[in-house]
Amino acid sequence: MLYSFGDPADATKTLKMIPALQSLSAVRNNKVLAFPFPYTDPPTPLSIEGVSVLLEKLKELQ
């Protein structure tokens, strides 16, 4: 899940409260990953760094 500002834990909590998303396995299994939007758009050198950050976060979920 991408978020733009604030605490990633708050963004994740808000996402988990959306009834339509309760059936998603990531929500049910507490595997939602909050990822800062600036790592994805606009495409900049920060986007390249974002790939490394995303890989590390994915490892944490395993």
Side-chain angles (χ1 to χ4, degrees):
M1 166 198 64
L2 296 173
Y3 71 99
S4 296
F5 57 89
D7 183 16
D10 291 339
T12 301
K13 182 179 176 183
T14 301
L15 177 100
K16 290 178 178 181
M17 292 183 340
I18 300 171
L21 302 181
Q22 297 301 311
S23 64
L24 293 175
S25 63
V27 172
R28 284 193 326 265
N29 297 316
N30 201 31
K31 299 275 185 175
V32 175
L33 191 123
F35 197 68
F37 187 76
Y39 278 130
T40 63
D41 193 56
T44 65
L46 188 59
S47 302
I48 302 301
E49 180 182 335
V51 173
S52 297
V53 172
L54 180 59
L55 286 172
E56 288 304 313
K57 287 186 173 282
L58 288 171
K59 286 178 187 177
E60 292 171 12
L61 286 178
Q62 294 182 356

